[in-house]
Amino acid sequence: MENEKEQPTTQTSNNSNPPSKVFDDSNNGSGEKSQNVQMSGMEFNSLEELLSYYKEYGKKCGFGVMIKRTEREEDDSVRYARNRTLNVANPRPTGKTECKAKINALRQDGVLRLTTKSRFFRCNREVSDAVKRVLNTNDLAGIRASKSYGSLVVGAGGFENLPFLEKDCCNYIDKARHLRLGAGGAGALQQYFLRMQYKNPGFFYMMDIDDDGRLKNVFWADPRSRAAFHVNHHGQSILLGAGLISSEDTETFVWLFKTWLQCMDGNAPKAIITDQDRAMKNAIAIVFPNSRHRFCLWHILKKIPEKLGSYGTYKTGMKSALMKCVYDSQCVDEFEKCWDQLLTTYNLGDNAWLQSLYVEREHWVPAFLKNCFWAGMSTTQRSESMNAFFDGYVHSRTNLKEFVDQFDNALKKKIENENLADFQSFNVTIPCISRSPIEKRFQELYTIAKFKEVQHQVNGIIDLNPKLHNSVGAIKTYMVEDEVCLEEFTKLVNHSVDFSEEDAVAKCSCGLFEMRGILCRHILAVFRYNDIKFLPEIYILDRWRKDIRRRYTLIHNSNRYTSLLNICYQMITYALGTREDTEDARNKLNAMIELYRANQEGPSMTQIGSNVDCTANDTIVGASGEVRSPRVVRGKGRPPSLRRASRMEIDMRKAKAKTKKAPAKGKRKEVTDII
């Protein structure tokens, strides 16, 4: 007898009498009738009814029945088992043949319910064609096998209703990928790139090969990404291409950045935001010497408790003084003065971490970065959100070719999001919150996302009252006191606005327009104070306008490949009508392949010198030679599976383990095996 843990199926009998037998009276070829009895999920009110039913079934099939009974506790320990004892010295004749046929009955809710695990046998597991199509579609969409299997379980009404296991789904997906992608990660990746270049000459890729012919690094970008290397007019991020690198050192980053620069026809980015990775900083200084490099402010400030938390004055003023120095300094001189005061007041002159931050202050302090356009970014949050975006498409077991496919799917999703935002900007209108003609002008020209940012500033001018501080010729300087709402309190911050009466041009110390391209409420308040009704054109940026057609939106993939593929589909449909047509089509296709192969020129093989002092054969563009798969390397940081657990997590795990080990108390379950 076995204690069955599985849940019963939903196919049960609602009658109080034993369920009727289901027999198939078809002849099995030997003159006897074969019986097909569906027993899983049947319910019996008593052991006698169950035994009577199974005996009749055994009689029809030609075997006898006996009972073995065991009682178990709630923790599956055997309380006692009953069976006949054998006299070894004088054994009795027995009709047992060690037959494996048996049924398991689990007592639940006062009835005996038949259960079975025969679906786990390999011969009983089968993935149907319909399920295969679902798995293929989900896999192409980047849905993991576990989630696909979970959806199938829900659709079938439970695990017991599926004729296959999750392992069968994974095995099928692996086989389908192998057939779809081909063997060899780097080789399949190279063939994919060659096909993409054939479909669209604007597709760019470059492979970095080591001395053994193994792939070290790879970069690729589609024509749309090459034409749109900035934030789009809705403030959404645009993918600039993709790179897979084998190392995170300066040499590798130099190769990656130089490759990207070549892909973008030498157009270097004006601003770059990264974390404080030293190798990346060195590479940016080499490849992009004129680009403004900024460190992620969030990564720096999150280290404050770790680096300064041991000081006694940390919570009594040091932390607030440091944050005030970083965020409230309106200019460089003000920051320098505030920083010196911080070090002197709290005796932090010998702190090595603060010294290193001060040396690199031009890379992270907002006061040093106000004259550069950052599209509203001060952290790598967009990069982190992009990583989270890809989590739905790739995972740790994704191979090279599959990653490129999923990257293409993610790129299409980004394009779809932009198309939807374009549609809403032209067909949905956000009402103005004031009668200002300036707000009305922004409503007419800007996309919805950017007009909402403008409205946020318009709404903030209600409580602002500019005061004239100085006047030199046509230039007037106003002081604007603004309330800044933080999580726990509200503080007052003074901003200065220089306003020219000649051309109505203004500049604010907050630097919002220079950094984000959105006119700040302090300038809008000064405009209102001077009765400016019409906005100067310099404050209407083309990058946020909805009525300008972007060059990258006009780029579409060549349809030569797709059109030929559709013609082939039609030909296949008609050629499958008869065997003769199929054979004729095969012969003609082979002849056409030989014809075009003879006329086909070899793929262009452009070789360039390596950007990191390696031979000319190390880096290839569009090469057709064999490329070996890369070596497996480990990236920076501790693997997720080896993450150091906190004390709270350790205590919770110990408590959960004790709960599982504790013996369960309650009513015993009786399980009967009839064999």
Side-chain angles (χ1 to χ4, degrees):
M1 176 204 67
E2 299 176 357
N3 189 358
E4 299 288 353
K5 286 291 186 181
E6 65 183 29
Q7 294 296 326
T9 62
T10 57
Q11 298 176 354
T12 59
S13 173
N14 295 325
N15 299 327
S16 59
N17 297 325
S20 60
K21 298 174 284 296
V22 181
F23 295 110
D24 183 0
D25 293 334
S26 61
N27 195 301
N28 60 13
S30 61
E32 298 179 358
K33 300 289 184 177
S34 62
Q35 296 84 25
N36 180 16
V37 184
Q38 177 66 35
M39 293 186 291
S40 178
M42 288 184 174
E43 294 181 354
F44 300 86
N45 294 326
S46 65
L47 179 61
E48 290 74 15
E49 292 179 357
L50 173 60
L51 182 60
S52 174
Y53 178 79
Y54 194 55
K55 281 183 177 180
E56 186 172 353
Y57 172 74
K59 182 179 179 181
K60 294 286 186 180
C61 295
F63 63 86
V65 176
M66 66 172 295
I67 300 175
K68 178 183 178 182
R69 180 177 299 164
T70 304
E71 286 199 6
R72 298 176 184 266
E73 299 288 357
E74 290 287 343
D75 59 354
D76 284 350
S77 61
V78 178
R79 180 174 177 82
Y80 64 86
R82 292 184 291 182
N83 205 344
R84 293 183 179 180
T85 59
L86 299 178
N87 188 341
V88 180
N90 186 20
R92 297 174 54 186
T94 178
K96 294 181 180 180
T97 59
E98 299 299 331
C99 178
K100 300 300 182 181
K102 68 176 182 178
I103 57 173
N104 298 327
L106 178 63
R107 185 177 295 277
Q108 291 180 335
D109 301 328
V111 297
L112 289 170
R113 180 176 291 121
L114 297 187
T115 62
T116 180
K117 293 182 179 178
S118 60
R119 61 188 179 88
F120 293 108
F121 286 117
R122 185 185 300 272
C123 61
N124 294 332
R125 305 202 309 259
E126 180 183 6
V127 181
S128 65
D129 292 339
V131 172
K132 289 179 180 179
R133 286 193 293 270
V134 172
L135 294 176
N136 265 326
T137 302
N138 290 350
D139 185 49
L140 291 173
I143 301 175
R144 299 186 182 185
S146 59
K147 293 187 176 182
S148 296
Y149 181 74
S151 66
L152 293 172
V153 171
V154 174
F159 292 92
E160 65 278 0
N161 295 330
L162 288 179
F164 50 83
L165 306 179
E166 182 176 357
K167 179 181 179 180
D168 301 319
C169 295
C170 295
N171 291 340
Y172 170 75
I173 291 177
D174 290 339
K175 181 179 179 181
R177 287 175 180 173
H178 180 78
L179 295 175
R180 187 169 66 241
L181 304 177
L189 184 65
Q190 185 186 25
Q191 294 300 318
Y192 173 84
F193 287 155
L194 290 174
R195 290 196 302 270
M196 292 301 294
Q197 276 193 336
Y198 171 76
K199 293 167 60 177
N200 196 322
F203 184 87
F204 178 94
Y205 82 95
M206 184 177 289
M207 288 181 167
D208 188 18
I209 312 299
D210 63 11
D211 296 335
D212 297 329
R214 290 187 178 273
L215 179 64
K216 288 173 55 180
N217 311 298
V218 61
F219 173 85
W220 71 95
D222 71 318
R224 183 185 177 95
S225 298
R226 298 181 66 184
F229 47 93
H230 55 74
V231 176
N232 69 8
H233 47 301
H234 303 285
Q236 301 170 341
S237 299
I238 289 181
L239 296 175
L240 308 180
L244 296 175
I245 57 178
S246 59
S247 178
E248 296 179 79
D249 53 18
T250 300
E251 184 181 48
T252 304
F253 281 124
V254 167
W255 178 90
L256 180 65
F257 293 154
K258 283 190 174 182
T259 302
W260 183 86
L261 189 61
Q262 178 184 349
C263 173
M264 298 300 174
D265 298 325
N267 294 320
K270 295 182 179 180
I272 303 174
I273 302 179
T274 70
D275 56 15
Q276 291 177 279
D277 184 85
R278 189 61 52 186
M280 196 178 298
K281 179 187 176 185
N282 296 336
I284 290 174
I286 295 173
V287 184
F288 306 124
N290 298 322
S291 299
R292 197 72 168 90
H293 183 199
R294 180 175 189 170
F295 292 153
C296 173
L297 189 58
W298 179 83
H299 279 93
I300 294 176
L301 297 182
K302 79 170 184 177
K303 297 179 182 178
I304 292 179
E306 175 188 351
K307 302 294 184 179
L308 304 179
S310 59
Y311 288 85
T313 56
Y314 173 72
K315 294 184 178 180
T316 58
M318 180 191 297
K319 179 182 177 182
S320 299
L322 177 58
M323 302 300 280
K324 183 177 184 296
C325 181
V326 173
Y327 285 109
D328 292 352
S329 299
Q330 298 297 315
C331 60
V332 174
D333 293 338
E334 188 176 344
F335 169 80
E336 297 286 358
K337 181 179 178 180
C338 185
W339 186 268
D340 291 338
Q341 184 178 357
L342 172 70
L343 299 183
T344 302
T345 303
Y346 297 100
N347 194 22
L348 297 173
D350 297 332
N351 188 282
W353 181 66
L354 290 179
Q355 290 177 359
S356 65
L357 287 182
Y358 182 77
V359 171
E360 298 179 327
R361 60 191 181 280
E362 294 183 359
H363 291 279
W364 65 276
V365 177
F368 289 86
L369 303 165
K370 289 185 177 182
N371 293 325
C372 184
F373 179 74
W374 298 100
M377 295 181 287
S378 62
T379 69
T380 56
Q381 180 181 2
R382 286 181 181 267
S383 176
E384 302 294 341
S385 63
M386 190 66 67
N387 294 338
F389 177 78
F390 275 104
D391 285 344
Y393 292 88
V394 298
H395 50 85
S396 59
R397 297 183 61 186
T398 302
N399 59 35
L400 289 176
K401 170 59 173 59
E402 188 180 2
F403 175 83
V404 178
D405 281 340
Q406 297 303 341
F407 176 85
D408 188 56
N409 290 337
L411 185 61
K412 292 177 181 177
K413 179 62 176 177
K414 285 287 184 182
I415 296 174
E416 180 65 16
N417 291 341
E418 181 175 335
N419 291 335
L420 176 60
D422 284 339
F423 173 81
Q424 292 178 339
S425 293
F426 280 103
N427 295 276
V428 177
T429 301
I430 303 296
C432 291
I433 59 176
S434 70
R435 292 179 295 178
S436 169
I438 294 179
E439 182 189 4
K440 183 66 176 177
R441 181 67 171 162
F442 281 120
Q443 181 196 45
E444 295 172 351
L445 298 179
Y446 275 17
T447 61
I448 287 181
K450 289 304 168 181
F451 177 62
K452 287 182 177 180
E453 294 185 30
V454 172
Q455 275 197 331
H456 178 71
Q457 299 300 320
V458 172
N459 187 54
I461 70 175
I462 298 176
D463 298 328
L464 299 185
N465 184 23
K467 296 180 180 179
L468 182 62
H469 177 70
N470 190 17
S471 179
V472 179
I475 306 298
K476 294 183 178 180
T477 302
Y478 294 87
M479 300 302 298
V480 182
E481 187 179 69
D482 191 10
E483 289 187 354
V484 179
C485 298
L486 303 178
E487 295 181 357
E488 301 177 356
F489 59 93
T490 300
K491 64 178 182 180
L492 297 177
V493 179
N494 289 317
H495 297 279
S496 63
V497 178
D498 295 331
F499 174 73
S500 173
E501 292 182 324
E502 293 181 351
D503 51 9
V505 174
K507 183 176 182 180
C508 181
S509 61
C510 72
L512 183 68
F513 180 74
E514 290 77 13
M515 291 190 295
R516 298 185 59 176
I518 299 296
L519 205 58
C520 68
R521 53 184 174 269
H522 317 116
I523 293 180
L524 291 174
V526 172
F527 283 170
R528 182 186 61 181
Y529 184 86
N530 288 274
D531 198 27
I532 301 297
K533 300 295 184 180
F534 299 99
L535 191 69
E537 290 297 322
I538 63 171
Y539 294 115
I540 301 177
L541 301 185
D542 289 345
R543 73 163 55 241
W544 306 141
R545 294 181 64 157
K546 62 184 178 182
D547 57 342
I548 295 180
R549 186 75 169 177
R550 269 68 187 175
R551 180 168 63 94
Y552 65 86
T553 61
L554 304 177
I555 297 177
H556 301 283
N557 290 331
S558 173
N559 60 355
R560 292 181 298 171
Y561 182 87
T562 304
S563 61
L564 286 177
L565 193 62
N566 292 332
I567 295 174
C568 289
Y569 282 148
Q570 297 180 32
M571 182 273 299
I572 292 173
T573 301
Y574 295 119
L576 291 176
T578 63
R579 185 183 301 274
E580 291 77 10
D581 291 342
T582 302
E583 188 64 27
D584 179 66
R586 181 183 293 111
N587 295 333
K588 290 181 178 178
L589 286 174
N590 288 329
M592 293 172 64
I593 291 174
E594 294 299 328
L595 174 63
Y596 294 130
R597 180 181 296 168
N599 297 334
Q600 181 74 32
E601 296 181 359
S604 61
M605 186 170 180
T606 306
Q607 297 187 350
I608 66 172
S610 173
N611 298 319
V612 288
D613 298 331
C614 48
T615 62
N617 292 330
D618 286 337
T619 305
I620 60 177
V621 181
S624 59
E626 181 181 358
V627 181
R628 301 173 63 188
S629 295
R631 292 183 174 89
V632 178
V633 296
R634 175 180 172 182
K636 294 181 180 180
R638 180 185 292 110
S641 58
L642 301 179
R643 181 180 62 84
R644 183 179 300 171
S646 64
R647 173 57 57 184
M648 180 179 297
E649 289 180 287
I650 296 175
D651 293 340
M652 292 179 63
R653 291 174 185 172
K654 290 181 178 180
K656 186 178 293 186
K658 290 181 180 179
T659 304
K660 290 183 178 180
K661 292 181 179 179
K665 297 181 181 180
K667 185 177 179 180
R668 298 189 301 271
K669 292 189 294 185
E670 180 182 303
V671 181
T672 302
D673 285 3
I674 302 179
I675 58 178

